[in-house]
Amino acid sequence: MANLGPEACAPFGCGFALEAWETGIRELLGKQPGIREYQHSLYVDWLKEYLHYCRAEGLSSVEPRAWGVYCDFLNQSGVRRPQIVRASEAVRMYREWALKNGNAENGANHGNAETWENAVKKLTEQIRLRHYSDKTLKSYRHWAHAFRKFAAPREAGEVDAALAQRYLAHLAQEQCVSASTQNQAFNALMFFFAHALKVDYRGLEDTPRGKLPRGIPNVLTKEEVAEVLKRLVEPYGLITRLLYGCGLRLGEGLALRVRDLDFGNKRVEVHFGKGMKSRSLPMPDKLADPLRRHLEGVQEQHAADMRAGTAGAFLPNRLEGKYAQAGRDWAWQWVFPARHLTPTENGVRRWHLHETAVQKEIAKAANAAGIRKKASPHTFRHSYATHLLQMGHDIRTVQELLGHADVKTTMIYTHVPVRPGIRALSPLDEL
């Protein structure tokens, strides 16, 4: 604990001089049957730490939420449970004494000092701490900024669950957003209140949720898949064959690195897919040779990058801090690298192909093939699952290959007949 002198912690934003609250707390400590006199200094030291933290973070020391924020800080700092219990008891006694001595109003006003900039920064930190995806971070920050505009001119410390409920109602009734968009905003605000603002969000969880429409996946026939593949130029044709042949999501396919292709065992390894889950998939026989030839060209490009002194491929998380040369290592290069290099603070690097480029090429090929169904990269994942069921594979096998956590998600593909060629009968045909 820090050694705080009287000049460093006198007011602490709480309206009392050091001598006043320390004397009051020691009197309360003397009345506690389970606390001995020699332990009083330990409780006072924890209270000094708490008040110092509240001052630094712009929190009201008498607000209940301030202890929640400080408790999270102690847990993340590795403080042991018995010490946290002691700190909690010290804060409880302080709040009891401070509120009794007329500090409630000061504390309430001081608790509204949280700015939107600090709140969004904390939101980013909490998402990074949980290793959520960059897409989740981008989405949640978007909704935090959108909520800020709705709440203006209030600062982040002045918003509450009731205002968030009005904002969600505004999205549904006035902006007419879809049910999925409304639910995304709800999840973002719940996380924002709970982990960034650290305020009471009771009532917000009772907000009516948008009812998602129960649609069926868009699926191409095998003949339609073949027609689209014939019209795709490389490397987009190879990417699409990989999506269809392994049932990959587009992000999973583009994030593949050389080390993820196991030609010896004919496996494709997906690392940190949706939900941070990994899985191993069989590599289609028809893709082994095309992938090898493709990697020969990628290796030539990588060798040219190394001669030019680039920093190699982008690496996940803090891997480069652990393995300094991993970005230049052939095994860590993208299977589908971007054509152009990207300047960064740590040197020029190469990213993988952008998702929109693949989406545009597939849409163009489907249109050229005269297919009037909606054709996107994810359509090939839907087609993969549906065709597996038509081939006689059981639903549990398909669930595992797709990486679904719940078999109910996989059940959407049972809308097609298990055996192709079976037609549903209609009484109209009997007339």
Side-chain angles (χ1 to χ4, degrees):
M1 292 183 290
N3 185 15
L4 303 178
E7 68 279 2
C9 56
F12 279 107
C14 62
F16 294 101
L18 172 66
E19 295 80 8
W21 68 254
E22 185 169 348
T23 300
I25 295 303
R26 287 187 181 275
E27 289 177 358
L28 280 175
L29 286 167
K31 299 176 183 179
Q32 306 299 318
I35 303 177
R36 298 182 181 181
E37 186 173 353
Y38 74 89
Q39 296 176 311
H40 291 186
S41 294
L42 296 175
Y43 283 81
V44 170
D45 286 344
W46 270 117
L47 192 49
K48 289 178 182 178
E49 287 286 317
Y50 169 71
L51 295 174
H52 178 75
Y53 181 85
C54 288
R55 184 183 189 185
E57 294 295 321
L59 298 170
S60 166
S61 58
V62 296
E63 268 196 299
R65 82 180 184 95
W67 166 248
V69 177
Y70 185 60
C71 186
D72 285 350
F73 168 75
L74 294 181
N75 281 313
Q76 293 172 15
S77 302
V79 178
R80 295 180 178 179
R81 181 65 182 169
Q83 294 175 302
I84 294 178
V85 171
R86 181 174 292 165
S88 173
E89 186 63 16
V91 171
R92 182 193 64 78
M93 287 187 287
Y94 166 74
R95 291 183 62 250
E96 177 184 328
W97 178 84
L99 293 171
K100 182 178 179 181
N101 285 272
N103 192 44
E105 185 175 355
N106 280 347
N109 291 335
H110 189 67
N112 293 334
E114 183 73 282
T115 65
W116 283 103
E117 288 75 14
N118 285 338
V120 173
K121 181 180 178 181
K122 290 177 181 178
L123 173 70
T124 303
E125 291 172 352
Q126 291 297 320
I127 290 177
R128 293 295 189 199
L129 182 65
R130 290 162 175 79
H131 291 277
Y132 289 174
S133 69
D134 290 339
K135 286 186 176 181
T136 300
L137 172 60
K138 182 178 180 181
S139 171
Y140 281 23
R141 291 183 65 175
H142 162 77
W143 288 115
H145 288 302
F147 183 49
R148 175 184 184 175
K149 293 180 181 179
F150 181 82
R154 302 174 186 85
E155 274 294 351
E158 300 172 331
V159 300
D160 55 18
L163 183 64
Q165 282 185 312
R166 293 201 297 274
Y167 176 60
L168 292 172
H170 164 76
L171 290 177
Q173 298 171 9
E174 298 180 31
Q175 294 196 4
C176 300
V177 300
S178 67
S180 60
T181 300
Q182 183 188 358
N183 289 339
Q184 185 186 74
F186 171 84
N187 292 331
L189 292 180
M190 283 286 289
F191 188 95
F192 185 61
F193 272 76
H195 302 293
L197 295 181
K198 303 280 186 180
V199 298
D200 184 8
Y201 56 87
R202 282 178 295 179
L204 181 57
E205 68 269 24
D206 297 327
T207 304
R209 307 290 298 275
K211 186 175 181 180
L212 295 174
R214 296 186 61 184
I216 59 175
N218 195 36
V219 175
L220 302 178
T221 65
K222 292 181 180 180
E223 293 75 20
E224 289 171 334
V225 169
E227 289 298 317
V228 174
L229 292 176
K230 282 194 304 186
R231 289 166 173 80
L232 284 169
V233 297
E234 300 302 344
Y236 304 106
L238 183 57
I239 295 172
T240 308
R241 290 198 296 275
L242 194 58
L243 299 182
Y244 176 65
C246 298
L248 299 176
R249 300 176 179 92
L250 177 57
E252 294 172 342
L254 293 180
L256 288 175
R257 298 179 188 265
V258 174
R259 63 193 287 268
D260 299 330
L261 300 181
D262 184 353
F263 291 101
N265 294 312
K266 293 187 176 181
R267 307 293 296 179
V268 176
E269 307 293 334
V270 175
H271 296 285
F272 308 115
K274 187 175 181 180
M276 299 302 291
K277 292 178 291 188
S278 302
R279 65 189 190 278
S280 178
L281 301 164
M283 180 187 295
D285 291 335
K286 288 186 176 181
L287 282 184
D289 288 338
L291 281 171
R292 284 195 180 95
R293 290 193 296 270
H294 170 74
L295 289 181
E296 290 174 1
V298 174
Q299 193 165 22
E300 291 177 5
Q301 182 188 63
H302 172 60
D305 286 348
M306 294 300 97
R307 289 192 296 270
T310 67
F314 284 87
L315 295 175
N317 301 323
R318 301 291 296 172
L319 186 68
E320 191 168 18
K322 188 175 181 181
Y323 303 108
Q325 296 300 317
R328 300 168 61 87
D329 189 350
W330 165 239
W332 281 97
Q333 304 310 303
W334 305 108
V335 174
F336 300 106
R339 294 179 180 177
H340 303 290
L341 294 166
T342 303
T344 70
E345 295 178 356
N346 299 319
V348 179
R349 294 183 179 274
R350 193 175 292 278
W351 190 244
H352 59 64
L353 279 176
H354 200 275
E355 294 183 358
T356 55
V358 183
Q359 293 164 349
K360 290 178 181 177
E361 290 297 324
I362 289 178
K364 187 192 304 182
N367 186 58
I371 296 173
R372 296 297 170 253
K373 299 175 183 176
K374 179 182 177 181
S376 70
H378 211 68
T379 304
F380 288 87
R381 176 175 162 88
H382 291 324
S383 303
Y384 164 83
T386 302
H387 296 164
L388 281 181
L389 290 173
Q390 290 178 336
M391 292 164 62
H393 294 283
D394 64 273
I395 194 73
R396 291 288 184 181
T397 299
V398 177
Q399 175 195 357
E400 184 177 347
L401 292 171
L402 292 176
H404 288 160
D406 193 335
V407 72
K408 291 181 180 178
T409 307
T410 319
M411 291 295 290
I412 63 172
Y413 299 109
T414 59
H415 68 285
V416 296
V418 175
R419 287 176 294 171
I422 297 179
R423 295 179 61 248
L425 298 178
S426 169
L428 179 62
D429 294 331
E430 300 298 322
L431 295 180

